[in-house]
Amino acid sequence: MLTVSDLVVAYPNGRVAVDGVSLQVGAGETLGLVGESGSGKSTTARAIVGLAPVRSGAIAVDGVDVVGARGERARRLRQTVQLVFQNPLLSLNPRMTIGQTVREAVGCAPPSPGLVAAAEAERLLGLVGLPPGVSDRYPHQFSGGQLQRVALARALAVRPQLLILDEVTAALDVSIQATVLNLIRRLQRELGLALLYISHDLSVVRYMASSVAVMRAGAIVESGPTQALYDAPEHPYTQALLAAIPTLDRAVAS
Amino acid sequence: MTGPVLEAEGLTVHISTPAGELPLVRDVSLRVEPGDFVGIVGESGSGKTLTTRALSGLLPPGARMEASALRFAGEDLLTLPRRRRDSLLGTRLAMVFQDPSSSLNPARRIGSQMVEAVVAHERLPRRKARELAATRLEQVRIDRPAQRLRQRPHELSGGQRQRVMIAMGLMGNPALIIADEPTTALDVTVQDEVMTLLRTLNREQGVAVLMVSHNIALLSQVCNRIVVMYAGRVVESGPAAAVVGRPGHPYAEALMAVVPDLGMEAGRELPTIAGAPPDALAPPPGCAFAPRCPLAVERCAERPPLVALGAGHAAACWRAEERSC
């Protein structure tokens, strides 16, 4: 589904944000991309969808090279890959109702016979678990968890095959996080989505991803099947990330 | 100092809205003893942040508080004249907020922000205050403190900014640090650093800490007491080990179940808390958690009082006693 090889992203000021990253996500699979602020994981995501300047390397989506895609090729890329961000309040237009937002995205999908945008938007909002009748409300009238559902509905409107989820639960309460994670997994099962799941939280990634890549300072320092990597982390950085997760067990033991 | 650092009884906070006055915090009683590390846990909207704002005299406009008692550092905050109260809170109470980049002034140098409170409240000469600021930065393990004082917030990382906030709080020799989700905006390893710093200040210098978080796992690692809030009320409080090990309230138990755990089988459905917190405009008459509670019985239509379950451990649930034995 997605193959990234030796990706280098450098900004005009010469700063290299991603330095030789390779990764793969198979159809219907989930790769967890883990690292801290500034490690380059979000930049990698942005490069995949053409939002960051690629200096060298290759990115193939469904076998098609997408680096520097323009016109029809870029349109097809956006229909195949969708990105959901951490803060839905910033990524949703505050002056559009959520119905308008999702309808607009439906209009960007390849036309499908008999599809009515308004009805499709309603269906999508239902699919992500929002109650009926909310489509004429504005983003500020929703809680953070609900807004993240709206952002997911919008991303799904073009019927993508790969979702890139960039810290989508980092701003949510743990109780809300659990419901959003369950929703993402259900959507993945039902729609056969491939996921690139980006997070700094290894406990969440373990739950979401079948394999994991750990990034630091623009490079992948360790990767492998989730269980193996968690059972025997080799890189000190992975070990530090694992040790930093607050758990209830640790508390009871101490 | 003898007696509790902070003691609040019957604290209620009303917010005025177009629909009338809403009591968003109701009848909260709280005690922080010297050397305590107390955690308040609850979901967004549970009133935990508003409670700390009321305690620290930082309520937003439109909010009004009442309490039957409110004492801090041996003084009665309800009767203390305004100026003395501000001066007391400005020096003996340190606040650490969730987002250090929005609580520091981006246009001013770290040094001038750090010395502001002690210059205003303690009339410390500016030069002495800057020396103190450098010492405090060193104490929170910021390297090259003298140079940092001349920098502006954007030149520091998120973790460094949070440590600057803590150092700023230490300027006035605080008896209590109130930290509201101090690590939510930070990476896990930086979170670890900030928590270690708070714990060190607590253990080695005896500064009491009152910390608010939505993550009970995080609190359970540092706190000796935990207070669980739901829909503006305290539903459970007690020694951390008791609340975590033998929770009396089903909500406390639910909050623990939703934390993703490395020991949990991957790929299983994560436990969630069914439903949503009640509408503040129309809270249910009885136990506010009853509509979401798997253990709810008929009696829950009546609001349960806090009942003692053990030494300093109490929960507001009709079934707490039967569950804890």
Side-chain angles (χ1 to χ4, degrees):
Chain A
M1 183 70 244
L2 171 73
T3 308
V4 175
S5 330
D6 296 318
L7 177 70
V8 176
V9 178
Y11 288 100
N13 64 8
R15 210 185 134 232
V16 177
V18 175
D19 195 2
V21 162
S22 299
L23 48 86
Q24 270 194 329
V25 188
E29 284 182 3
T30 303
L31 173 68
L33 188 57
V34 175
E36 308 208 310
S37 315
S39 63
K41 54 194 196 310
S42 294
T43 308
T44 303
R46 296 173 66 87
I48 294 167
V49 294
L51 293 174
V54 174
R55 177 185 279 176
S56 63
I59 302 170
V61 172
D62 229 0
V64 181
D65 178 30
V66 297
V67 173
R70 292 263 183 284
E72 182 53 32
R73 211 156 49 103
R75 191 156 37 245
R76 194 142 355 113
L77 168 66
R78 285 186 212 114
Q79 284 165 4
T80 316
V81 183
Q82 280 288 306
L83 188 57
V84 180
F85 300 95
Q86 172 173 352
N87 188 338
L89 255 190
L90 296 179
S91 55
L92 295 170
N93 186 334
R95 301 185 62 172
M96 280 166 80
T97 67
I98 62 157
Q100 286 169 336
T101 291
V102 178
R103 279 199 295 279
E104 183 184 62
V106 171
C108 299
S112 152
L115 186 133
V116 182
E120 175 66 1
E122 282 294 326
R123 185 186 73 82
L124 288 163
L125 290 172
L127 182 69
V128 298
L130 286 169
V134 295
S135 57
D136 50 3
R137 291 200 207 154
Y138 289 89
H140 74 266
Q141 294 170 289
F142 292 90
S143 66
Q146 287 176 317
L147 283 178
Q148 214 49 299
R149 291 172 191 267
V150 175
L152 283 167
R154 175 176 63 178
L156 295 174
V158 297
R159 284 166 269 148
Q161 295 164 50
L162 171 67
L163 273 190
I164 302 178
L165 304 167
D166 190 356
E167 298 276 16
V168 285
T169 65
L172 305 176
D173 272 9
V174 277
S175 57
I176 308 298
Q177 167 175 284
T179 63
V180 172
L181 293 179
N182 285 339
L183 168 68
I184 292 169
R185 290 185 54 117
R186 175 169 68 74
L187 293 171
Q188 176 179 33
R189 259 197 328 270
E190 289 174 5
L191 307 173
L193 295 165
L195 302 180
L196 178 58
Y197 193 91
I198 299 176
S199 175
H200 68 268
D201 187 339
L202 276 162
S203 60
V204 170
V205 168
R206 175 178 175 277
Y207 176 71
M208 298 300 288
S210 46
S211 49
V212 179
V214 182
M215 267 189 96
R216 186 185 198 184
I220 290 176
V221 296
E222 184 166 5
S223 66
T226 310
Q227 198 56 49
L229 188 133
Y230 281 59
D231 286 346
E234 278 175 18
H235 198 279
Y237 183 62
T238 314
Q239 292 166 359
L241 283 177
L242 279 168
I245 299 171
T247 63
L248 284 162
D249 300 356
R250 250 169 78 181
V252 177
S254 61
Chain B
M1 185 173 41
T2 53
V5 178
L6 178 76
E7 192 177 17
E9 259 170 55
L11 178 72
T12 296
V13 181
H14 298 271
I15 296 272
S16 60
T17 70
E21 282 216 320
L22 284 183
L24 292 188
V25 172
R26 279 176 289 184
D27 197 20
V28 166
S29 295
L30 204 68
R31 246 172 116 92
V32 182
E33 302 284 348
D36 262 357
F37 202 128
V38 178
I40 304 183
V41 66
E43 290 170 280
S44 302
S46 60
K48 55 195 194 306
T49 292
L50 210 50
T51 299
T52 61
R53 294 297 159 102
L55 297 173
S56 52
L58 293 175
L59 280 176
R64 183 174 62 79
M65 68 161 250
E66 51 198 51
S68 50
L70 183 57
R71 300 179 63 80
F72 172 67
E75 302 266 11
D76 184 351
L77 291 184
L78 296 176
T79 56
L80 204 64
R82 176 78 198 253
R83 278 184 72 102
R84 285 196 41 214
R85 194 196 69 171
D86 287 353
S87 173
L88 176 71
L89 293 174
T91 53
R92 305 300 313 278
L93 175 71
M95 294 290 292
V96 181
F97 300 103
Q98 174 170 348
D99 183 1
S101 37
S102 59
S103 35
L104 288 167
N105 185 333
R108 288 176 54 198
R109 293 174 204 276
I110 300 293
S112 89
Q113 301 190 50
M114 284 188 71
V115 302
E116 198 172 357
V118 282
V119 170
H121 293 304
E122 294 182 354
R123 311 206 171 280
L124 203 66
R126 210 159 266 278
R127 246 196 64 189
K128 281 249 184 294
R130 286 186 74 86
E131 279 166 22
L132 180 66
T135 315
R136 293 296 182 245
L137 284 182
E138 217 172 334
Q139 211 176 339
V140 298
R141 283 185 285 283
I142 295 261
D143 59 340
R144 293 171 289 135
Q147 190 183 330
R148 298 293 186 190
L149 290 175
R150 290 191 300 273
Q151 291 186 318
R152 293 191 171 84
H154 74 269
E155 297 173 76
L156 308 179
S157 72
Q160 285 173 327
R161 282 195 287 254
Q162 199 57 298
R163 278 182 278 167
V164 166
M165 281 301 295
I166 296 172
M168 193 182 288
L170 296 177
M171 292 292 288
N173 189 24
L176 176 67
I177 298 176
I178 294 184
D180 186 357
E181 303 268 12
T183 63
T184 304
L186 304 176
D187 283 328
V188 273
T189 52
V190 185
Q191 165 170 291
D192 219 26
E193 272 172 41
V194 172
M195 294 310 296
T196 305
L197 171 62
L198 286 175
R199 186 157 37 179
T200 309
L201 291 170
N202 175 251
R203 294 222 174 127
E204 289 172 12
Q205 294 178 40
V207 186
V209 181
L210 177 62
M211 174 170 153
V212 168
S213 175
H214 62 89
N215 190 338
I216 195 170
L218 181 64
L219 291 178
S220 72
Q221 294 190 340
V222 288
C223 296
N224 63 316
R225 292 187 61 80
I226 290 182
V227 175
V228 183
M229 283 189 74
Y230 187 76
R233 288 183 194 274
V234 172
V235 295
E236 178 155 1
S237 73
V243 173
V244 171
R246 285 171 280 114
H249 201 285
Y251 180 61
E253 203 164 323
L255 280 179
M256 287 187 263
V258 296
V259 180
D261 185 319
L262 285 179
M264 209 179 67
E265 195 186 318
R268 246 189 34 202
E269 185 97 333
L270 275 172
T272 57
I273 308 178
D279 185 355
L281 283 167
C287 169
F289 188 60
R292 305 171 77 184
C293 181
L295 302 173
V297 289
E298 217 168 284
R299 201 172 177 196
C300 302
E302 192 186 325
R303 194 167 59 77
L306 277 166
V307 289
L309 299 173
H313 185 193
C317 174
W318 291 117
R319 305 187 65 182
E321 278 165 310
E322 93 187 62
R323 276 159 34 76
S324 70
C325 54

